[in-house]
């Protein structure tokens, strides 16, 4: 049955063209058909000839049929390929238009107070993105203070993307928006900020809890707009009120990276944190600042960990539940 089907298929290859008059079927490969009628070609030979004839002009059928009479089907295909090459090697390269490369795609939308992001990147851009994200997504080292990093890979990569956003906000070559460098504005009453209650409002109208506002106020690229009792602007904090380059360089020299015990994040991945918050009267100075990575910056703002400068060096005091004596600790990695 299988061989019979092959013969039927080959017959279709050989006789499936209509004559100019439309009255009868004419052989597609007449010389091949003659050889088949003589019993000189096998099913496999016919298939090989038909395949080769798709790559060479019709007037070379005699050559290909000659190959089929003398050689095995595999050799017929090989000789046919050489024939095709010899015929077309001097022809100009085909000028078929190249398909347009797929462009990078990015979509985002807010859902239940969270921004969902989907992106499709080309190979080069994707490789660059991985190279940026991978160092930030490594598990935090196991320390006596925090134990092992229990975040899943998805969580670590999500936090890494958030760190990448923070790094970009600190960059000095961001595109402008409306003639001004890209910034994020937080608006809330001064009394609420000072008393650590309530929330701030973002540019897009979303609300941010006060604990997070106090953390964001440490970062470059964030403008805290504090309102008086009647809602009128009382003070608009400018970027010069965040840590300028000269102070940051001094902090980098002193802290060498995240100052939290056991952390090895480099300076470029750190924020300058007000030890005494500016809302509580703290100033923007080396003596009131410490470098913290994003994770430990959040930890200091949202837990009972405390940091002070002791003899000019950042010193951390753990919560009582972790150490009832609240013994002072320093980062020996960066100070070694």
């Amino acid at each position: 049955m299988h061989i019979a089907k092959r013969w039927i298929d080959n017959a279709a290859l050989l006789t499936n063209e209509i004559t100019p008059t439309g009255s009868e079927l004419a052989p597609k490969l007449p010389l091949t058909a003659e050889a088949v009628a003589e019993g000189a070609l096998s099913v496999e030979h016919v298939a090989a000839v038909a395949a080769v004839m798709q790559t060479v002009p019709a007037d070379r059928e005699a050559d290909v049929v000659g190959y089929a009479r003398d050689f095995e089907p595999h050799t017929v295909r090989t000789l046919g390929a050489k024939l095709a090459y010899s015929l077309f090697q001097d022809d100009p390269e085909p000028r078929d238009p190249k398909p347009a490369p797929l462009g990078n795609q990015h979509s985002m939308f807010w859902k239940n107070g969270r921004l969902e992001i989907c992106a499709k990147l080309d190979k080069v851009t994707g490789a660059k993105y991985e190279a940026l994200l991978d160092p930030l997504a490594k598990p935090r080292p196991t320390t006596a203070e925090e134990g092992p990093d229990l975040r899943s890979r998805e969580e670590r990569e999500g936090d890494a993307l958030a760190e990448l956003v923070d790094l970009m906000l600190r960059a000095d070559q961001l595109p402008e928006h409306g003639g001004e460098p890209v910034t994020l504005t937080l608006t809330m009453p001064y009394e609420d900020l000072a008393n650590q209650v309530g929330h701030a409002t973002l540019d897009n109208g979303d609300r941010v809890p006060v604990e997070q506002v106090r953390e964001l106020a440490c970062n470059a690229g964030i403008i805290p707009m504090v309102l008086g009792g009647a809602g009128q602007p009382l003070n608009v904090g400018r970027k010069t009120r965040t840590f300028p380059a000269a102070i940051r360089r001094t902090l980098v020299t002193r802290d060498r990276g995240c100052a939290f015990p056991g952390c090895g994040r480099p300076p470029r991945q750190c924020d300058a944190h007000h030890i005494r918050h500016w809302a509580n009267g703290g100033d923007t100075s080396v003596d009131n600042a410490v470098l913290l990575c994003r994770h430990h910056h959040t930890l200091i703002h949202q837990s009972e960990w405390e940091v002070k400068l002791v003899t000019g060096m950042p010193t951390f005091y753990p919560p009582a539940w972790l150490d009832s004596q609240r013994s002072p600790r320093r980062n020996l990695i960066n100070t070694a």
Side-chain angles (χ1 to χ4, degrees):
M1 287 297 291
H2 178 68
I3 296 177
K5 183 179 186 303
R6 292 287 301 277
W7 274 117
I8 293 172
D9 292 341
N10 285 344
L13 288 174
L14 298 175
T15 58
N16 65 348
E17 289 186 349
I18 303 297
T19 63
T21 62
S23 58
E24 59 184 7
L25 290 174
K28 199 175 190 181
L29 301 173
L31 299 180
T32 307
E34 290 178 8
V36 170
E38 297 172 11
L41 301 184
S42 68
V43 175
E44 290 78 11
H45 279 98
V46 174
V49 171
V52 172
M53 289 308 300
Q54 292 179 3
T55 65
V56 299
D59 59 8
R60 305 312 295 259
E61 185 184 3
D63 295 323
V64 180
V65 172
Y67 300 153
R69 288 179 181 271
D70 297 333
F71 300 104
E72 294 297 321
H74 174 73
T75 305
V76 173
R77 293 175 186 270
T78 301
L79 294 173
K82 291 181 178 180
L83 175 63
Y85 177 77
S86 67
L87 293 174
F88 301 117
Q89 64 176 330
D90 295 327
D91 284 5
E93 292 292 328
R95 299 299 180 185
D96 293 339
K98 294 182 179 180
L102 294 176
N104 294 316
Q105 300 177 17
H106 178 274
S107 61
M108 57 184 178
F109 60 92
W110 287 94
K111 182 178 180 180
N112 299 326
R114 297 172 67 86
L115 182 65
E116 296 194 7
I117 301 172
C118 179
K120 295 181 180 179
L121 306 177
D122 60 60
K123 289 183 179 179
V124 174
T125 306
K128 291 178 182 177
Y129 180 74
E130 281 187 324
L132 286 171
L133 215 61
D134 280 351
L136 301 174
K138 291 180 179 178
R140 291 189 293 271
T142 299
T143 64
E145 289 77 17
E146 297 182 281
D149 190 346
L150 300 179
R151 294 175 300 166
S152 66
R153 180 176 180 84
E154 290 77 11
E155 290 173 323
R156 286 189 281 110
E157 291 181 347
D159 288 341
L161 179 58
E163 280 197 57
L164 197 58
V165 171
D166 289 342
L167 286 170
M168 287 302 299
L169 283 174
R170 289 195 291 271
D172 58 1
Q173 294 182 338
L174 286 178
E176 293 189 347
H177 182 70
E180 294 291 334
V182 176
T183 55
L184 174 66
T185 303
L186 300 163
T187 305
M188 72 178 301
Y190 175 78
E191 290 80 7
D192 287 354
L193 181 63
N195 295 325
Q196 303 184 47
V197 297
H199 63 268
T201 304
L202 294 173
D203 296 336
N204 62 4
D206 285 341
R207 296 179 176 184
V208 176
V210 67
E211 296 83 4
Q212 193 171 359
V213 174
R214 294 167 68 88
E215 176 186 347
L216 290 172
C218 293
N219 297 342
I222 308 296
I223 297 181
M225 180 177 290
V226 183
L227 303 181
Q232 75 279 13
L234 178 64
N235 187 15
V236 178
R238 302 186 182 276
K239 287 187 178 179
T240 53
R241 290 195 62 191
T242 61
F243 292 91
I247 291 181
R248 183 175 176 85
R249 283 195 295 268
T250 303
L251 294 174
V252 169
T253 301
R254 186 194 71 191
D255 297 346
R256 303 183 188 178
C258 179
F260 193 89
C263 186
R265 293 282 191 178
R268 66 179 179 276
Q269 297 176 17
C270 296
D271 298 326
H273 164 71
H274 290 83
I275 295 176
R276 184 185 183 196
H277 201 279
W278 64 269
N280 296 337
D283 57 3
T284 302
S285 67
V286 173
D287 294 334
N288 189 44
V290 61
L291 287 184
L292 294 173
C293 70
R294 187 176 189 272
H295 167 70
H296 291 119
H297 196 177
T298 301
L299 183 70
I300 289 294
H301 276 280
Q302 299 184 2
S303 73
E304 297 178 7
W305 275 91
E306 293 184 47
V307 57
K308 300 177 181 178
L309 288 187
V310 178
T311 63
M313 296 302 296
T315 304
F316 294 78
Y317 299 85
W321 61 264
L322 181 62
D323 179 356
S324 60
Q325 302 299 316
R326 304 203 71 189
S327 303
R329 309 183 186 197
R330 288 182 178 175
N331 190 336
L332 301 179
I333 296 178
N334 292 335
T335 58

